[in-house]
């Protein structure tokens, strides 16, 4: 293996020795002159000892580590890592089930594949590269997905137009790398969803809310439900199955509202309990009545960066405060943050502030997080992003 090299400054190998999978650009003392974004590179400490091998990229994260062992990053490597990811999903009883064929197969650092996300919808895997290195190796990865999943995945759709660094200018296009299938209905816990992997947000669906949607189903009976930021209507469809008396879905995107309507219709044709509205969440809540007794707040990440944190926290407080103000006595609020830059305690403080402003008694019933197919590498706590609270408002 004749790899290009990055040598670290003194003392800068410590976090890598504890398996943190990133090298920051400030830690680099020297590097091969011809190093290109997306190259495989070996990382050495200041004494020249091998530390790791990974993908080089331009930016503050300079290397994303693939292995802390000295090994070739070849076809066998991809099959082995993706095979490990697949067997975890079998252990979790997500793969190979009749009533569920939606799950995350690869969750970046959580599956020791930084820069790669793969979501599965039936026989199709939708793959996203978040680094140029993963983009460069997309063909080998697509083959490995097919080989490692025992014939269960036959199509690999590549969707990286919006996730790759803009400056890399790779001219890549979205499309099938293997197979090809027009089938785009997948099943989550026995409920059917249209998945728009061609144009939808992320890989077409928010796979990470599966367990939380199930929990909501258990609270839905006899309640009137407001699902804010509904996207494809996941929470709405579970609420309908759970026996809600009424479900209103709101999203600012009219495409999302069309998808939500289609998904409600797919599972509960002609069910008049559901209605959907394309409107800004804050505007909708301001003019909403006080009739809802279950409200879901699942906004997009308010803080994409640390700098945006203060405003993001204010945003969460403002949003939750209106929900507390409006909800019926005894009502339930499911409230989430998917901002990685906002930690559990900060989010809880923002919600606490909202509760205090509303002057109502609020109890925490559940503390929610991302599901097991979005695992967190313990050496990479940055991988924890989704948090939620289920609250009862007296
Ligand atoms: N709860 C969804 C995922 C929500 S993603 C699920 O389970 O699948 C966040 C959604 O918020 C997106 O669909 C986006 O269109 C919507 N959104 C963003 N800003 C908004 C705003 N100001 N008002 C209403 N919806 C908004």
């Amino acid at each position: 293996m004749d790899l290009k090299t990055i040598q670290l400054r003194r003392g800068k190998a410590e976090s890598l020795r504890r398996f943190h999978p990133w090298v920051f650009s400030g830690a680099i003392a020297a590097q091969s002159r011809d190093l290109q974004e997306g190259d495989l590179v070996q990382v050495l400490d200041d004494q020249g000892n091998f530390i790791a091998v990974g993908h080089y990229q331009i930016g503050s994260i300079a290397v994303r580590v693939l292995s802390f062992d000295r090994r070739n990053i070849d076809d066998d490597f991809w099959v082995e890592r993706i095979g490990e990811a697949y067997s975890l999903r079998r252990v979790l009883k997500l793969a190979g089930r009749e009533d569920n064929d939606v799950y995350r197969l690869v969750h970046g650092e959580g599956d020791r594949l930084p820069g790669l996300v793969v979501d599965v919808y039936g026989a199709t895997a939708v793959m996203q590269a978040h680094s140029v290195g993963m983009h460069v190796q997309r063909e080998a990865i697509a083959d490995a997905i097919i080989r490692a999943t025992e014939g269960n995945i036959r199509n690999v759709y590549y969707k990286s137009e919006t996730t790759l660094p803009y400056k890399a200018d790779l001219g890549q296009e979205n499309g099938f790398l293997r197979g090809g299938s027009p089938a785009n209905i997948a099943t989550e816990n026995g409920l059917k969803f249209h998945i728009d992997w061609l144009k939808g947000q992320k890989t077409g669906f928010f796979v990470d809310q599966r367990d939380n949607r199930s929990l909501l189903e258990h609270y839905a009976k006899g309640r009137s439900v407001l699902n804010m930021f509904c996207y494809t209507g996941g929470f709405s469809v579970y609420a309908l199955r759970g026996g809600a008396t009424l479900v209103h879905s709101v999203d600012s995107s009219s495409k999302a509202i069309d998808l939500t309507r289609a998904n409600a219709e797919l599972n509960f044709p002609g069910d008049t309990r559901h209605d959907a509205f394309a409107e800004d969440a804050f505007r909708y809540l301001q003019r909403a009545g006080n009739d809802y007794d279950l409200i879901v707040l699942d906004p997009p990440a308010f803080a994409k960066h640390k700098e945006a944190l203060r405003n993001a926290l204010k945003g969460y407080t403002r949003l939750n405060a209106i929900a507390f103000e409006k909800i019926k006595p005894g009502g339930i609020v499911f409230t989430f943050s998917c901002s990685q830059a906002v930690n559990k305690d900060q989010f809880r403080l923002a919600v606490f502030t909202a509760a205090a402003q509303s002057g109502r008694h609020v109890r925490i019933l559940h503390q929610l997080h991302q599901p097991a197919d979005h695992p967190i590498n313990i050496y990479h706590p940055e991988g924890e992003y989704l948090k939620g609270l289920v609250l009862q408002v007296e």
Side-chain angles (χ1 to χ4, degrees), residues 65-130:
V65 172
L66 295 166
S67 174
F68 291 98
D69 298 322
R70 197 190 281 269
R71 61 171 298 175
N72 288 330
I73 306 301
D74 51 14
D75 292 353
D76 289 344
F77 169 83
W78 297 111
V79 172
E80 184 187 307
R81 280 288 157 87
I82 293 170
E84 280 168 17
Y86 185 67
S87 31
L88 173 63
R89 276 63 182 178
R90 292 208 73 121
V91 168
L92 298 172
K93 301 219 162 30
L94 291 169
R97 228 172 82 187
E98 278 283 299
D99 66 336
N100 191 84
D101 59 17
V102 178
Y103 59 91
R104 178 155 291 191
L105 172 62
V106 175
H107 184 60
E109 283 81 358
D111 286 296
R112 295 197 295 153
L113 289 168
L116 183 66
V117 163
V118 181
D119 285 336
V120 171
Y121 303 110
T124 300
V126 180
M127 166 181 163
Q128 276 189 331
H130 292 255

Side-chain angles (χ1 to χ4, degrees), residues 201 205-206 209 213 227-235 250-253 256 279-282 298-300:
Q201 301 178 42
F205 191 66
F206 283 72
Q209 290 286 25
R213 293 195 269 251
N227 180 13
M228 301 301 299
F229 311 92
C230 62
Y231 187 38
T232 57
F235 284 104
V250 178
D251 198 289
S252 55
S253 146
E279 194 174 341
D280 173 75
F282 288 93
D298 185 23

Side-chain angles (χ1 to χ4, degrees), residues 198-225:
L198 304 179
K199 299 208 185 68
Q201 301 178 42
K202 300 237 192 158
T203 63
F205 191 66
F206 283 72
V207 182
D208 56 4
Q209 290 286 25
R210 177 186 50 245
D211 295 350
N212 303 330
R213 293 195 269 251
S214 271
L215 182 65
L216 174 118
E217 182 175 354
H218 294 290
Y219 279 98
K221 200 169 181 62
R223 293 188 189 269
S224 65
V225 175

